[in-house]
Structures are given as C-alpha cells and as structure tokens.
Amino acid sequence: MKVGVLALQGDFAEHKEALEKSGFDVCLVRNIVDLVSVKGLVIPGGESTTISKLLKKSGLDKAIVERINKGMSVWGTCAGAILLADDVKSKKPIDTLEVLDIGIERNAYGSQLDSFQTELELDGKKFEVAFIRAPKITKIGKDIKTLISYNDNPVMVRLGNILVTTFHPELIPGTYFYDWLREHIFYG
Amino acid sequence: MTNQQNTPLLKEGLAKMLKGGVIMDVVDAKQAKIAEEAGAVAVMALERVPSDIRKDGGVARMSDPKMIKEIIEAVSIPVMAKVRIGHFVEAQILEAIGVDYIDESEVLTPADEQFHVDKTKFAVPFVCGATDLGEALRRVNEGASMIRTKGEAGTGNVVEAVRHLRMIKEQIAELKKGNLKAKAKEYRVPVELLQYVVDSGRLPVVTFVAGGIATPADAALMMQMGAEGVFVGSGIFKSEHPEKMAKAVVEATMHYDNPAKLAEISNGLGDAMASLDMKEVDVKLSERGW
C-alpha cells in the first residue's frame, strides 16, 4: 500500500524513514494533490496548533476528513492523535479533524523533563517507544477499542480505519510496530 | 525495562518534533499567546529581544523566573529560555522552573570565557549557536541536543545566517575528502563524531537557523538552503504588524519551496523590523563563544 506522511510540520522525515525501512512505499503529503495518490495516511508528531493552522489554510483538513470517511486508513501519533480527536483539552482552543470520539488532554504528563521511554506490549510482544510531551487519552467513545494501556490510560486506540497512539515508535529502531501496522491498518 | 527519562533520544526527539516550524522570541505572556495563535512551534522567553539588547548595552542576563513561569502557564507549546554562555547556575535555575529547552546564547553577555556549560550534567535539553562545523560539533560533544546557526541577532539582516549555514554545509561536504583524525584534532572533538557526520551527511542533531531573519522570504531562503526550522527574534514583535508577520513567517517556513504561495504570503505585511547593515554593527554577537 502507498502510505502518505502528512508533511506540514513535525517529525515527518523520521516517519517516512521508519516506514520505508519496513518496506512501505511512502510519499510526503503537503497538499491536496499529494493526498489523491495515497491509500493510507500518517499524521506525525509535531506541534498540533501549528499543524492545525496549516491544515486549515491548505484545505487539506476537509480533504483528509472526506478520505477518512470513505475508508482511507489513518494513523495519528502524538500531535496526530490530537488532530484526529473530537474533544481536546488545551490552554488554547484548537481546531481538529474531529473524526474519532475520544477526549484527549494536550501535554498531559508535564514538561519535557517528564518525557520518558518505556516498553509497551502489543499482541503479546514487547517493543520500545518514546513519550515526548505526550497527550493523554481521557475518555473514549463506545465501539472504540483500546489496544494498549499504560498506567491504566489508553495509549493506543482504534476504531475501524482510524488508529491513534500517544507515543512515538518512529524514533526507536525496530520494525515490530510497523509489521503490525501492515497487518492491521495499512494492508492491501 | 524500567522507564528512562532525559535520555539523548528524548532530548533530541523534542527537537525533531519542532522541525519545519518557527520558534519566536517573546517578552511576556501576551506575546507568547500571539505567537502560539500564529502557529509558532515553541516560544523563547526573554526580557528584551536582541535588537533592544543591542540598543541598551550593558550586561544581558537570564530573564526573571517569574516572567518565564507566566509564559509557561499561558501556552501549551514548548517554552525555551536563554542562559549566558558558561553560566551553569542560570541553567540550573531554568531547569528548576521546568522550561522545555535551554538556549545557551551569545545574545546574552557571556559569563565564562573558557568553558561553555557542561550540558551532559543536565536533565533539560540544550540548544546552542554555531557559526561553523567545528563549533557545532564542540557543542554537540558537550551535550547540546539541537543546534542553531548564530547569524547576527537583532540586525534584521539575514546575511550572517546565510554565511553560517553555508559554511557548515560546505565543511560537511569537505569532510568526506579529508583526513578525519586531523580534522578531529583541529575541531577538538572525537573522531567518531566526525565519522557520524561523514556517514549521514549532516549534523548529529536537528539544525535550525537564527539571527537576522526578518521576513517570510528570509525564512523561506533559509529553509531552501537546508535549515530544518527557524528562530525569529526581533523580527516578529519589532515589525509593524506582529500578528500578521508571525502568521506569514510560519506559513512561509512550510511553503518555502512554493514561490506563488510565498508571493501571496508576503503581500501587504507592513514594515519589517528596523534593520542594520553589517558595517553599522559595533558588537558582533556571533563572535561570542568558540
């Protein structure tokens, strides 16, 4: 599957590299034309207010929602998770794509000094991730499945073609998470 | 495994999240909110922007913790703050406040003529200025998690920023041809660090530009030259219409390779900050540090 990485701001280059290492055909998505050719989309980490503004200004916000509603697979991580959620707690109101019925609190673990690396378990196997000024999922709507929790907080949830994580797998070498993605989200 | 905190991966990781973005100097919570609203990826809290530091003279120090805390309270984006070169106690204070990044900055008056701060001793990540490859790698070797080219702060003149970024790129290219051991000695850094630069073709950490960026076109120029993001100091809040200028610089940093968009973005922004030709600059801040 050809997977696009939203490249308005953030660590899109790291996502592209990690996906390519796992054998995906990857391109960067900077405008509506780029979006047409992709079958799946990654919304990377970055600053959600910045990406939100650039999404709106470029018209990509509406185009992405339309594609998601038609079944395009999407994975949002960290800032990307915030941008997919429909209820965000933040000091400043932020416009999101509102495609997933979850509540999320921005920067909920504290400052950069509270960022951490840890190991999570997915389908019985452990892999390492980084939480960097990460958000917390505070509530999830019905039918949404929690795939991984950390200290009783959901950190990876899914509803059909929409996957949300609050951690970064892309900063740490290893293909386990990406192999999982190929099997469950970006398949075909 | 047990959880790990404050690792190089996490410190450098935050800088990766800022890539493609604009970090703006702000002097109070009100400006910080304007910067966040405009789409800044982070703010740099300081009492006076570089152009005022230049005008006022005297010793420029770390800002009042009270003002930095107010800014941390006001925004959700990361907050950075500056310490004087070598002033490790100012750095300890900023770490205690809980800033997200410390800038060991030549814009403030240096506190130590011999040593920069030993950044490996700190939990909080550091960004440092550099004018060439050797300087950048010395800072990385001391534990800097992010580099910004120095440019010449407070001038509204992009010429030095261009020079420093080009210098680093040329020196990286040259490194491939030269004797790494001799270069390591010249630069006073471990040869492994140079080997990394040769293999990857880039600095080991995220590299932004700073110093003299005053217009959306300046920001786009630096991005086209290979910068991974932009610091704007006096350029925003010393311009005629700060809100408009801030938004325009953010958009130009994203659409840096699209001239039609840049034309649209640059339309009717009013006056940029008051600026200086390099001949009029009496104190070159970029010469501070080594």
Side-chain angles (χ1 to χ4, degrees):
Chain A
M1 175 186 283
K2 188 171 178 187
V3 177
V5 180
L6 186 68
L8 301 178
Q9 189 274 320
D11 75 331
F12 50 82
E14 283 72 15
H15 274 281
K16 184 167 182 276
E17 200 186 323
L19 286 160
E20 279 169 347
K21 271 192 184 147
S22 299
F24 284 100
D25 179 16
V26 193
C27 73
L28 295 179
V29 173
R30 296 163 65 84
N31 53 51
I32 297 174
V33 179
D34 298 337
L35 186 68
V36 175
S37 68
V38 305
K39 295 272 191 290
L41 183 71
V42 178
I43 306 183
E47 282 307 318
S48 50
T49 30
T50 309
I51 301 175
S52 161
K53 302 229 169 281
L54 296 170
L55 272 173
K56 213 170 186 182
K57 195 90 189 176
S58 62
L60 265 168
D61 55 345
K62 289 194 182 82
I64 291 172
V65 170
E66 201 176 300
R67 287 290 309 273
I68 293 173
N69 289 339
K70 283 184 184 159
M72 176 180 71
S73 299
V74 62
W75 166 39
T77 174
C78 203
I82 294 168
L83 290 163
L84 291 170
D86 72 356
D87 182 14
V88 180
K89 192 177 167 208
S90 166
K91 284 172 192 159
K92 201 189 90 60
I94 166 170
D95 291 323
T96 71
L97 303 176
E98 299 181 19
V99 291
L100 191 64
D101 178 19
I102 57 171
I104 196 161
E105 185 183 347
R106 212 176 155 187
N107 191 20
Y109 293 87
S111 77
Q112 168 64 11
L113 292 169
D114 303 296
S115 293
F116 59 99
Q117 283 169 250
T118 191
E119 227 170 33
L120 299 174
E121 195 177 310
L122 177 63
D123 289 350
K125 206 180 155 198
K126 289 185 168 162
F127 67 112
E128 207 185 328
V129 300
F131 286 84
I132 297 179
R133 284 176 49 91
K136 252 183 207 169
I137 296 171
T138 50
K139 63 176 197 320
I140 56 172
K142 71 174 172 59
D143 301 329
I144 296 174
K145 205 171 161 193
T146 298
L147 299 173
I148 307 179
S149 288
Y150 174 80
N151 287 349
D152 298 328
N153 277 302
V155 293
M156 174 161 162
V157 301
R158 177 189 183 174
L159 180 68
N161 56 328
I162 304 171
L163 178 74
V164 155
T165 64
T166 58
F167 53 80
H168 298 278
E170 78 281 5
L171 297 179
I172 298 174
T175 59
Y176 176 64
F177 182 82
Y178 291 89
D179 294 338
W180 185 94
L181 275 183
R182 185 183 298 101
E183 214 170 297
H184 295 91
I185 303 292
F186 298 138
Y187 52 83
Chain B
M1 75 180 255
T2 49
N3 284 2
Q4 292 177 289
Q5 287 186 289
N6 310 316
T7 59
L9 183 134
L10 292 167
K11 292 175 174 181
E12 291 161 23
L14 178 56
K16 287 176 180 168
M17 299 308 145
L18 304 178
K19 284 202 292 185
V22 181
I23 300 170
M24 299 181 192
D25 278 2
V26 296
V27 299
D28 55 34
K30 191 173 157 237
Q31 287 190 353
K33 283 183 181 166
I34 292 171
E36 183 176 43
E37 177 62 38
V41 289
V43 288
M44 176 73 69
L46 75 176
E47 252 156 15
R48 291 175 292 170
V49 293
S51 64
D52 285 336
I53 291 175
R54 221 172 245 296
K55 243 185 266 163
D56 299 350
V59 173
R61 309 181 180 91
M62 175 192 79
S63 299
D64 184 345
K66 178 171 174 279
M67 165 273 217
I68 299 171
K69 278 195 218 159
E70 283 167 6
I71 289 174
I72 292 174
E73 284 303 310
V75 295
S76 294
I77 54 178
V79 176
M80 303 183 166
K82 288 181 192 289
V83 300
R84 286 179 264 176
I85 289 173
H87 206 314
F88 54 86
V89 174
E90 285 187 347
Q92 289 164 1
I93 292 170
L94 290 187
E95 181 171 276
I97 298 173
V99 300
D100 296 295
Y101 242 94
I102 293 177
D103 182 6
E104 186 181 20
S105 177
E106 70 284 357
V107 167
L108 305 185
T109 313
D112 191 325
E113 292 182 327
Q114 229 181 336
F115 296 107
H116 282 249
V117 172
D118 177 0
K119 292 161 275 285
T120 59
K121 291 213 169 79
F122 286 82
V124 62
F126 280 75
V127 54
C128 288
T131 56
D132 58 32
L133 180 61
E135 193 177 8
L137 292 177
R138 283 191 291 280
R139 298 294 85 79
V140 171
N141 196 40
E142 289 160 0
S145 307
M146 179 178 183
I147 290 293
R148 55 170 177 77
T149 54
K150 286 181 178 171
E152 194 53 42
T155 61
N157 188 337
V158 79
V159 67
E160 295 294 296
V162 166
R163 198 153 65 81
H164 298 157
L165 187 62
R166 182 180 297 129
M167 174 72 89
I168 289 175
K169 277 170 63 182
E170 284 176 359
Q171 288 173 324
I172 290 175
E174 270 170 35
L175 210 53
K176 290 177 182 155
K177 299 174 225 151
N179 175 338
L180 285 195
K181 269 194 181 154
K183 273 287 167 199
K185 206 173 165 197
E186 181 192 329
Y187 289 164
R188 288 172 276 133
V189 294
V191 74
E192 293 76 25
L193 207 49
L194 291 182
Q195 190 61 54
Y196 178 93
V197 174
V198 168
D199 293 344
S200 64
R202 53 160 298 144
L203 287 179
V205 297
V206 168
T207 308
F208 272 43
V209 290
I213 288 116
T215 65
D218 286 351
L221 172 70
M222 301 316 299
M223 293 300 287
Q224 284 200 27
M225 287 184 68
E228 294 185 287
V230 178
F231 282 85
V232 185
S234 325
I236 304 291
F237 289 99
K238 290 290 176 186
S239 70
E240 190 181 351
H241 302 296
E243 283 98 340
K244 266 197 202 171
M245 184 61 87
K247 280 191 185 127
V249 174
V250 168
E251 282 177 47
T253 302
M254 197 251 132
H255 296 289
Y256 66 90
D257 55 357
N258 184 337
K261 276 258 187 225
L262 292 173
E264 202 182 295
I265 291 164
S266 305
N267 243 346
L269 294 176
D271 288 338
M273 64 179 283
S275 53
L276 293 168
D277 187 90
M278 281 310 137
K279 283 179 229 136
E280 306 166 274
V281 174
D282 41 7
V283 181
K284 263 192 129 183
L285 303 176
S286 59
E287 287 170 359
R288 294 170 168 178
W290 47 90

